Amino acid sequence: MRAFILTRLPADPAHDITHVERVVANARLIANAEGADLAVVIPAAWLHDCVSYPKNHPDRARSSQHAAALAVDWLREQGTSSDLLPAIGHAIEAHSFSAGITAETLEARVVQDADRLEALGAIGIARCLMVGGALGRPLYHTDDPFCASRAPDDQGFTIDHFYRKLFHVGETLHTNAARCEAAARIEFMRAFLAQLGTETAHKPEADG
């Protein structure tokens, strides 16, 4: 599966092979903790981004559905049991924020959680900054970097994405294993913003 996904990854520094490998590792840990079926979770984790349109692409919200269709076709060609394919496809479809598809199975919830953990912690910070840079967005609003007196605008400023989305990721997680990890990662992100505030002579709001 690694060889196949390498041929499908987008030219997006936040969705490279190391991202996929981390999602697989996260998914394995969460699945083992929660008792999910690895025969569904692992293929879905490997293939969840086999179609991944850029964040500013008009079909962005359909990335996961297109990925699920391609992954199921490929797995069928590889001889994967037909009994597993619907569950794998659903786990891939449901992993995406923008798709808005409810994760109906434990395996889909595990894959969704594994991918969403990538938005948090040191990795989450790095990926956010890489995407913002690739899209040419300024790092922060010079008068109000931490959205103290304005609504977050992550189309305009990279750091705003912390407030618009990333600090809310923990609320969307399903599994206890993922929620515990998310709490530690969010604490690190707040420490990062505190340091950024020191360096820019601004102070982040305590409640984010």
Side-chain angles (χ1 to χ4, degrees), residues 65-139:
Q65 291 159 284
H66 294 177
L70 177 63
V72 166
D73 285 346
W74 183 80
L75 288 168
R76 185 180 292 113
E77 292 172 1
Q78 305 308 303
T80 301
S81 170
S82 60
D83 292 341
L84 296 172
L85 295 178
I88 294 170
H90 173 62
I92 294 171
E93 283 185 335
H95 88 271
S96 170
F97 263 111
S98 52
I101 296 172
T102 300
E104 301 286 356
T105 65
L106 173 59
E107 289 72 27
R109 291 190 286 271
V110 166
V111 174
Q112 190 182 90
D113 283 3
D115 185 59
R116 292 184 182 186
L117 282 176
E118 280 280 282
L120 303 176
I123 287 295
I125 293 169
R127 294 177 76 229
C128 180
L129 299 187
M130 285 192 292
V131 171
L135 294 174
R137 293 172 183 161
L139 180 59

Side-chain angles (χ1 to χ4, degrees), residues 121-197:
I123 287 295
I125 293 169
R127 294 177 76 229
C128 180
L129 299 187
M130 285 192 292
V131 171
L135 294 174
R137 293 172 183 161
L139 180 59
Y140 58 86
H141 188 294
T142 54
D143 295 327
D144 185 2
F146 307 115
C147 306
S149 59
R150 63 185 179 85
D153 173 19
D154 59 358
Q155 298 300 305
F157 306 97
T158 300
I159 290 298
D160 283 31
H161 195 55
F162 284 49
Y163 298 95
R164 178 72 178 83
K165 178 179 177 181
L166 301 187
F167 282 143
H168 303 292
V169 167
E171 301 162 13
T172 74
L173 299 175
H174 304 281
T175 62
N176 186 60
R179 288 193 293 268
C180 289
E181 177 64 19
R185 293 189 183 202
I186 289 171
E187 183 177 354
F188 178 85
M189 295 169 75
R190 293 195 186 281
F192 168 80
L193 290 184
Q195 179 62 26
L196 182 63

